[in-house]
Amino acid sequence: MGEDLGFERLLEEEGFFARLLGRSPSGGGSKLLYGPDLPVVLLTGGPGMGKGRLLRLVRDRFASKVPVIYLDCASRTYEDDAGPEPGARSDFTEALVDVAGRLRAWQGTGGPFVFPRFFAGLTMIATGAADRSPEAVRTEVERYENLPQQQGLRGLGTGGFWRNVLTGVIRNLLNTLAGQLLGAYGASVAGALLEALFANAAPKGRRELTRIYGAYPTAGHQPEHGLLDLAADFKAGGEAREVAERFLFRALREDIEAAYEGTVGWLSRVGRPALLLDHADSPLGQRLLRAVLTDRRDGQRDRVVIVGTARQEDGGAFLYGGLSPEDAGYPAEYRPADGIPATWSRNTGPQPDGAPLADGVLLLRMPFLTGDQLRDETLRRQRRTEPESGANRRRVVAAVARLSGGRPHTVIRLAAAAATFRMPADANDRDLLDAPLRHPDGAAERPVTDVLLEELILDQLPVGLPDEHRDQWLDLLTHLSVAHDTECADVLLVHHQAHRVSVLTAHQIAKLLTETGWPGCERHFIGDFGLRQLLVHRLYGLCPDGAAWHADHHLLRDHYALRAADDGAPGGEAFRSLTAHRMNHHLVSGGADDVVRHLAATLPGRPREWCAELLEIAQAPYPGGADARRVRAQGLVSMEGPALRRTVDQLLHAVWLCEERTRPTGSEMARTLAGLLERLSIMEFDGAGDLGPTAGEWSGLAANQRPMLRCSCTDQLGRRR
């Protein structure tokens, strides 16, 4: 498999993108999907799901067949380019100018595009340059002089839009105004530019300027007023500027649409042009999407395919107009496994002014890798140098599957790191995270866990994360990897933000994680199993001998010890009781013997409740270092005390080993579990006989590598195996 790992069906000759663009990767025609009212397609999935990789693949496969422009909306390039002239440029306009410039250089079927309509709007906002002097405005207009004209025919008419050398006329006009005393708002420059635009427009050009800019909200069907108001709104900033930017984007799309109209366009151009917006959930990306979605909701139609990426499952709150997705109505969605999607159409019922934009969206759910895809990719990278390495390869495949959860990017990185890695005997999956990885950019080898945390966390910070917390985001998540619910998380956050004036709460962090595309779980604050393993591994390595790990668990153990004085109090969101919550943290920070004593004392008379509590206590990661759970579960470690206590000790360690889910257990531990529970079931204490059915249930689950205590993240892991 190559770069198209997981996306083969989407990119095939008659796949989704071939149908959407009207051309196959080989250049053949393809039956168009949708139209003339096109949905905005949002690729949704959290970090590591390959959204950006898919966009780049679409660009690389199709860009020589149809005009495909890729923009990274998270890049600071557009903001930096706008900096020198904040009154005449914005990151939004710089992105549009970049799109127009690249289409202007298109050398494929039909030749370059020209942008006379877009140019007219840019010319007017240029009046906000510097002090609005003619010199500054002239310099600004000259940045755009190639956009409205055919290549090799500087300034000549384009399809009858202009009658003569427009930019030369504007330049000469501004030169004559240079040095004149202008009004406070540069009205003379604006008026002169407006006069030049209309004086040099051919009849078709006048009609087009009237149609587009006469529709400006405050124009009253007067294009001159529309252009002047557009310039004033852009200068004003805020919501007024967003209206102006939206109209500039509309004008650009109108120019693209014009290139496909008429006999020449119909004969020379094929398929649909596309704008691919990576990181479309960034502020710039949201403004671009909002502009096109608003226009299309209001009845504007164009053939530009808009595909963006969004980490949040529902596409982002901006689509719903302040309503919940349930109240506003979820957008249509498409999963690649379903084949080519059915015909899309927006709601044709009455649409109130300002209705949510989600109705114009099609959510394309990024696929997790199947078990076969994951196994093939991992084995493809293995170096088969030793005949006896088959067992190691199987062990590596299982570790990659569990640690990645099927996220394509994580699979690719882990499989590459595991190419020459040998899993130690009785290894924990997390041992693989120390494997060195040479990054494709040629940088020095680093542990794969460091690479993944940088790419999944540091390179994909939440859009809403305040600047003052960016430096601590990874550290906070690392400590929160041992938290279960919001109370548990807040205890850790208070401790680790004690030196800060501005702090984040567990509720805020949970919201930021959701907005970044990470799933939630009712039993784990970090709700993605693979991400949690990365963070747990980092936490244990922060200080020698896992000191940071133990400190966090001790902090939580002591917190719940104080609260557990009233054992009738509820245990919070993730546990039945405060005592169970306390024991969970005590177990993983050196208190196994205390936990055994507690369990042995509380078993008689309450076997069913006791089994549920045992599972809650034992659902915990194991610290680094040698793992004695297997031999302790099998009774190979000398223990003292009554038979009940020794058997409970063995059972606790067997359940803990199975429930951590980072080591193979299978039939061996299934038999151990069954034997221990059956042994307990014939002991002389109240309710012992009720443990017999549990023996069969738990051993069956363990034999099939399934969790005994289910939660959202273990369910997700099971579905992706």
Side-chain angles (χ1 to χ4, degrees):
M1 294 182 183
E3 278 297 304
D4 60 353
L5 176 64
F7 303 140
E8 299 88 346
R9 295 188 65 177
L10 289 168
L11 297 168
E12 61 190 8
E13 286 291 293
E14 285 299 320
F16 175 77
F17 283 102
R19 295 281 302 277
L20 191 62
L21 298 172
R23 303 294 284 179
S24 69
S26 64
S30 186
K31 183 179 178 181
L32 283 173
L33 190 64
Y34 313 132
D37 183 14
L38 285 175
V40 167
V41 178
L42 289 183
L43 315 181
T44 63
M49 291 303 297
K51 302 178 296 298
R53 177 166 61 95
L54 177 55
L55 283 191
R56 292 187 292 273
L57 284 168
V58 171
R59 175 197 62 192
D60 296 343
R61 299 282 177 90
F62 292 93
S64 62
K65 312 302 186 300
V66 289
V68 175
I69 305 299
Y70 169 93
L71 292 185
D72 183 357
C73 298
S75 170
R76 293 189 59 87
T77 300
Y78 302 121
E79 186 177 346
D80 292 342
D81 290 346
E85 287 290 357
R89 308 176 198 169
S90 68
D91 56 348
F92 191 104
T93 62
E94 290 303 293
L96 296 185
V97 169
D98 183 24
V99 171
R102 286 194 257 170
L103 289 173
R104 177 73 180 72
W106 164 252
Q107 295 300 313
T109 305
F113 291 74
V114 291
F115 297 91
R117 299 159 185 81
F118 181 46
F119 173 80
L122 290 175
T123 298
M124 294 308 299
I125 68 168
T127 59
D131 56 359
R132 294 194 176 188
S133 67
E135 295 88 346
V137 176
R138 179 190 62 205
T139 300
E140 192 67 13
V141 171
E142 286 175 348
R143 296 179 72 228
Y144 314 124
E145 63 180 351
N146 287 328
L147 295 181
Q149 53 203 8
Q150 296 284 1
Q151 194 171 23
L153 300 172
R154 284 177 62 87
L156 296 182
T158 169
F161 204 100
W162 307 117
R163 290 187 304 195
N164 51 31
V165 188
L166 176 67
T167 52
V169 170
I170 291 176
R171 188 181 304 113
N172 292 336
L173 182 66
L174 293 172
N175 284 337
T176 64
L177 289 172
Q180 292 186 22
L181 183 63
L182 302 177
Y185 299 101
S188 299
V189 173
L193 283 174
L194 193 62
E195 182 179 344
L197 286 172
F198 279 90
N200 289 276
K204 175 184 176 180
R206 285 175 174 269
R207 289 194 301 271
E208 286 296 283
L209 291 177
T210 298
R211 181 179 64 84
I212 295 172
Y213 293 103
Y216 198 79
T218 55
H221 303 291
Q222 299 296 316
E224 296 89 345
H225 293 169
L227 283 162
L228 288 171
D229 289 348
L230 178 141
D233 286 347
F234 190 88
K235 181 68 175 177
E239 292 183 5
R241 173 170 283 196
E242 287 195 20
V243 173
E245 290 172 337
R246 169 186 153 193
F247 260 76
L248 288 171
F249 194 6
R250 180 190 297 184
L252 182 144
R253 300 196 314 276
E254 292 273 9
D255 281 321
I256 295 174
E257 188 69 16
Y260 286 82
E261 294 176 346
T263 303
V264 174
W266 185 78
L267 291 174
S268 64
R269 298 194 186 275
V270 296
R272 290 172 175 151
L275 181 57
L276 311 179
L277 304 177
D278 203 358
H279 301 108
D281 52 1
S282 67
L284 172 59
Q286 287 191 20
R287 283 155 55 209
L288 288 165
L289 291 178
R290 187 180 291 112
V292 68
L293 284 168
T294 300
D295 279 349
R296 290 180 178 177
R297 180 191 62 188
D298 295 345
Q300 297 293 322
R301 298 290 176 260
D302 61 79
R303 74 188 68 213
V304 180
V305 170
I306 307 288
V307 183
T309 66
R311 292 174 291 184
Q312 198 163 341
E313 185 178 6
D314 60 17
F318 77 100
L319 295 174
Y320 300 97
L323 302 174
S324 68
E326 292 82 4
D327 291 336
Y330 280 101
E333 66 175 62
Y334 163 54
R335 297 179 185 273
D338 297 337
I340 298 298
T343 301
W344 176 90
S345 62
R346 69 177 64 245
N347 185 0
T348 57
Q351 292 291 313
D353 184 46
L357 301 175
D359 196 46
V361 168
L362 174 68
L363 301 178
L364 196 164
R365 305 296 192 193
M366 288 289 92
F368 289 92
L369 296 186
T370 65
D372 288 342
Q373 289 173 320
L374 191 152
R375 181 170 50 255
D376 290 347
E377 175 65 12
T378 306
L379 292 177
R380 182 179 71 86
R381 296 173 180 267
Q382 292 286 295
R383 298 183 185 176
R384 299 169 180 261
T385 56
E386 302 176 28
E388 68 274 15
S389 64
N392 179 71
R393 287 197 298 271
R394 288 191 294 273
R395 184 68 183 87
V396 165
V397 168
V400 171
R402 282 190 286 263
L403 291 174
S404 69
R407 290 181 182 271
H409 182 80
T410 310
V411 170
I412 291 169
R413 289 285 187 256
L414 290 175
T420 58
F421 184 78
R422 293 193 66 82
M423 296 289 284
D426 195 32
N428 188 300
D429 292 344
R430 290 193 298 272
D431 292 334
L432 176 59
L433 298 177
D434 288 324
L437 176 68
R438 182 174 295 280
H439 200 276
D441 64 7
E445 285 185 341
R446 300 164 58 197
V448 66
T449 184
D450 292 347
V451 175
L452 283 170
L453 287 172
E454 179 178 322
E455 294 174 335
L456 299 179
I457 299 296
L458 296 177
D459 291 348
Q460 301 202 50
L461 295 173
V463 173
L465 180 66
D467 290 342
E468 61 268 26
H469 295 294
R470 290 174 176 260
D471 64 327
Q472 65 166 172
W473 181 245
L474 177 56
D475 285 338
L476 288 181
L477 294 186
T478 299
H479 291 293
L480 291 173
S481 65
V482 303
H484 297 95
D485 51 34
T486 53
E487 178 186 347
C488 192
D490 272 326
V491 172
L492 292 164
L493 289 170
V494 168
H495 177 76
H496 289 291
Q497 297 180 104
H499 61 292
R500 289 184 175 255
V501 175
S502 176
V503 299
L504 289 170
T505 66
H507 173 75
Q508 290 170 318
I509 289 181
K511 184 172 183 290
L512 290 170
L513 286 171
T514 299
E515 291 174 352
T516 311
W518 292 110
C521 177
E522 65 277 14
R523 293 191 179 275
H524 301 92
F525 188 81
I526 302 296
D528 182 83
F529 182 86
L531 175 62
R532 191 166 66 252
Q533 302 310 309
L534 288 170
L535 294 169
V536 162
H537 188 72
R538 181 175 186 266
L539 176 62
Y540 193 82
L542 281 181
C543 299
D545 300 320
W549 159 290
H550 291 295
D552 282 341
H553 282 293
H554 289 162
L555 177 69
L556 293 169
R557 176 201 65 188
D558 294 345
H559 169 78
Y560 287 104
L562 291 174
R563 289 202 58 211
D566 177 12
D567 197 44
E573 303 162 43
F575 289 85
R576 291 169 175 256
S577 70
L578 296 170
T579 297
H581 202 159
R582 172 172 65 90
M583 289 293 175
N584 174 277
H585 293 290
H586 195 30
L587 173 66
V588 298
S589 57
D593 291 339
D594 290 339
V595 174
V596 170
R597 280 191 289 271
H598 165 76
L599 288 171
T602 57
L603 170 55
R606 49 189 298 272
R608 293 183 181 177
E609 297 86 348
W610 183 87
C611 285
E613 184 180 66
L614 170 61
L615 293 180
E616 289 183 345
I617 292 172
Q619 191 185 53
Y622 192 79
D627 187 353
R629 287 178 297 178
R630 189 179 300 275
V631 294
R632 196 158 168 176
Q634 293 173 339
L636 302 178
V637 176
S638 178
M639 302 289 296
E640 296 181 354
L644 174 62
R645 181 176 164 188
R646 295 198 308 271
T647 306
V648 167
D649 185 291
Q650 289 180 246
L651 181 61
L652 169 64
H653 287 84
V655 172
W656 188 6
L657 186 65
C658 291
E659 288 300 272
E660 188 192 13
R661 305 186 62 69
T662 56
R663 274 185 170 85
T665 52
S667 58
E668 179 189 31
M669 275 299 107
R671 290 192 296 270
T672 299
L673 279 171
L676 292 169
L677 284 164
E678 287 168 358
R679 188 191 308 170
L680 286 173
S681 72
I682 60 174
M683 289 185 179
E684 294 184 0
F685 60 82
D686 289 344
D690 292 341
L691 295 174
T694 304
E697 178 186 346
W698 284 10
S699 63
L701 291 169
N704 290 282
Q705 301 280 342
R706 296 187 181 279
M708 289 169 280
L709 180 61
R710 294 175 57 184
C711 62
S712 294
C713 66
T714 55
D715 282 350
Q716 293 163 1
L717 185 65
R719 287 196 297 270
R720 296 166 193 164
R721 284 178 53 203

